[in-house]
Amino acid sequence: MPRHNISSGAPWEPIVGYSRAVRVGSIVHVAGTTATGPDGKIVGVGDAYLQAVQALKNIERALVQAGASLEHVVRTRIYVTDIADWGRVGRAHGEVFHDIRPGTTLVAVSRLVAPEMLVEIEAEAIVEM
């Protein structure tokens, strides 16, 4: 099956050797996605809800580039640097996935790549062919 790599244009993608998303056949994997805005800066510094909203927008953009949509998402993984933020991050996730209801995991991690990053989200989608 052909493989389609989707780049966000982030300068670290070629350095680390990853793609924002990869589609093979009907399956789309979206890599861990943070609240990086179009200018390369973190959106919502200090606010986990706003960061989750931006990360989900970034995921949606990658899905569309892969020929998928949020409705195709079957699995998400959410990483937060402070478990006390789970409710705010969960609210942002629920606003997007309320009716879709993918399998979801939310875990706390000690930190992400940059100290201002509070949330990182991964997604997997299956597109009907």
Side-chain angles (χ1 to χ4, degrees), residues 84-99:
D85 288 332
W86 79 266
R88 289 179 289 284
V89 173
R91 178 167 51 100
H93 187 275
E95 289 169 0
V96 171
F97 291 113
H98 180 268
D99 294 327

Side-chain angles (χ1 to χ4, degrees), residues 67-86:
S69 69
L70 291 167
E71 289 75 25
H72 295 114
V73 173
V74 297
R75 178 90 165 106
T76 59
R77 291 176 190 86
I78 306 167
Y79 306 93
V80 296
T81 58
D82 184 348
I83 198 64
D85 288 332
W86 79 266

Side-chain angles (χ1 to χ4, degrees), residues 47-59:
D47 188 322
Y49 170 80
L50 291 177
Q51 288 196 22
V53 167
Q54 181 64 44
L56 290 163
K57 287 178 183 177
N58 294 345
I59 286 170

Side-chain angles (χ1 to χ4, degrees), residues 29-41:
H29 294 277
V30 181
T33 304
T34 62
T36 306
D39 61 357
K41 296 180 181 169

